[in-house]
Amino acid sequence: MEQHKKVKFQSLGVIDYQEAWDYQEKLHAEIVEIKLQNRKISPEETPRATPNYLLFCQHPHVYTLGKSGKPEHLLLDDEGLEKYHAQYFKINRGGDITYHGYGQLVGYPIFDLENFFTDIHRYMRFMEEAVIRTCADYGIEAGRIDGLTGVWIDFVEQKNPRKICAMGVKASRWVTMHGFALNVNTDLSYFSHIVPCGIDDKAVTSISLEVGREIEMTEVESRMLGHLKEIFEFEIA
C-alpha cells in the first residue's frame, strides 16, 4: 500500500492527562480499524489510506508510570499527591515513571509507521533528533547517552548529566502512542518526588534553566514541529 505521509497536527493547549490519553486511544483505534478493514478487501479494491496525527499539549501536574516501571519510584503517597495538586496514572507505554506539568511541551505522535518505516528504534531516534535540533536553536548542546532513552545535556563528559526530554512509546500494529516530554519552563521541583525514569543518579533540567530566561512555548512548539516535519519528511494535512 502507498505510504501516506500527511499528518494532522493539533495543538491542544493545557489538557487533563486522562482526557488526552482517551483521545489518543480513540485516534489509535481509528487507525488500527482502517488497517484491519484493509486486510479484508479484495485485490481489486483500493485500500484506504491510514491517517497520522500529531498532538502537542501541556498537562496539569501528573505522574505517569510505564508498564516496566516500579511503583516505589513515586515518592509521594495519596496525601502528598493532594498536597502538590498532582494526579498519578499507571499507563501502557514503555519506560518507568515521569512527570508532566505546566511549561512542558508534551508531544503525542499517533503515526502508522507503515507510512514511514517499521522500526521502533529508528522512530525513537528520530524523535530524539527533533528535540536535539530544537535545543540547538536555543544554543543548547544536547544529545544521547548510550543505554538511556531521551535527550540529555552534558552527554559526552557526563560530569553533570541532566535529562531535558523524556520519552516513552507504545506501538500496536505499527501504530504509535504516547511520545516525548520536553522541559521548557517546567517547575523542576516536581521531579524531586519521583525517581525520574528509574534513574536516581542523574538530574533533570529545562530549556529555561539552561539559557537563564523564560521561553515562549508557542515558539518551541513551532520549532519542534518544523524539525519533526523535516526529519520524518511529512506534510501537515
Side-chain angles (χ1 to χ4, degrees), residues 15-222:
I15 182 172
D16 181 76
Y17 186 83
Q18 183 71 60
E19 186 179 349
W21 189 9
D22 291 345
Y23 188 40
Q24 284 187 79
E25 293 271 17
K26 174 179 175 289
L27 298 178
H28 186 278
E30 171 195 319
I31 298 170
V32 169
E33 180 59 27
I34 292 171
K35 297 183 79 166
L36 293 174
Q37 292 301 320
N38 282 342
R39 287 185 177 185
K40 299 175 183 177
I41 66 175
S42 67
E44 296 79 31
E45 293 179 279
T46 303
R48 283 174 64 193
T50 49
N52 308 287
Y53 298 92
L54 176 60
L55 313 177
F56 278 2
C57 64
Q58 297 178 58
H59 293 306
H61 306 300
V62 62
Y63 296 104
T64 67
L65 182 72
K67 57 189 178 185
S68 58
K70 297 179 179 178
E72 58 267 28
H73 287 163
L74 175 64
L75 308 178
L76 295 174
D77 57 15
D78 289 345
E79 285 185 9
L81 288 168
E82 190 173 337
K83 176 182 176 182
Y84 291 102
H85 308 290
Q87 293 181 296
Y88 171 58
F89 291 95
K90 294 179 181 178
I91 62 174
N92 58 359
R93 61 161 169 78
D96 204 291
I97 196 163
T98 195
Y99 161 76
H100 300 309
Y102 304 102
Q104 182 187 70
L105 175 58
V106 178
Y108 296 129
I110 300 104
F111 288 179
D112 178 2
L113 289 185
E114 290 189 298
N115 286 325
F116 299 91
F117 45 78
T118 49
D119 185 333
I120 291 293
H121 291 287
R122 185 178 173 196
Y123 171 69
M124 297 291 283
R125 300 299 83 77
F126 273 29
M127 278 204 299
E128 288 169 353
E129 184 61 29
V131 173
I132 289 166
R133 294 185 190 184
T134 301
C135 289
D137 290 336
Y138 293 93
I140 300 168
E141 186 180 1
R144 303 171 180 86
I145 294 178
D146 284 348
L148 299 176
T149 304
V151 177
W152 300 79
I153 313 298
D154 188 17
F155 59 97
V156 179
E157 293 186 359
Q158 296 185 37
K159 292 179 179 176
N160 177 28
R162 47 211 186 272
K163 180 178 271 194
I164 199 164
C165 182
M167 293 188 178
V169 168
K170 176 198 173 189
S172 173
R173 298 185 187 273
W174 292 116
V175 182
T176 64
M177 271 185 63
H178 305 293
F180 66 86
L182 173 60
N183 296 327
V184 181
N185 302 309
T186 317
D187 180 351
L188 299 176
S189 69
Y190 274 81
F191 284 98
S192 67
H193 306 305
I194 59 172
V195 180
C197 302
I199 301 165
D200 60 6
D201 62 343
K202 292 179 176 62
V204 290
T205 189
S206 65
I207 294 177
S208 63
L209 182 64
E210 295 296 322
V211 302
R213 62 183 173 88
E214 185 144 318
I215 304 298
E216 178 57 53
M217 287 295 292
T218 54
E219 180 184 270
V220 180
E221 278 197 15
S222 177

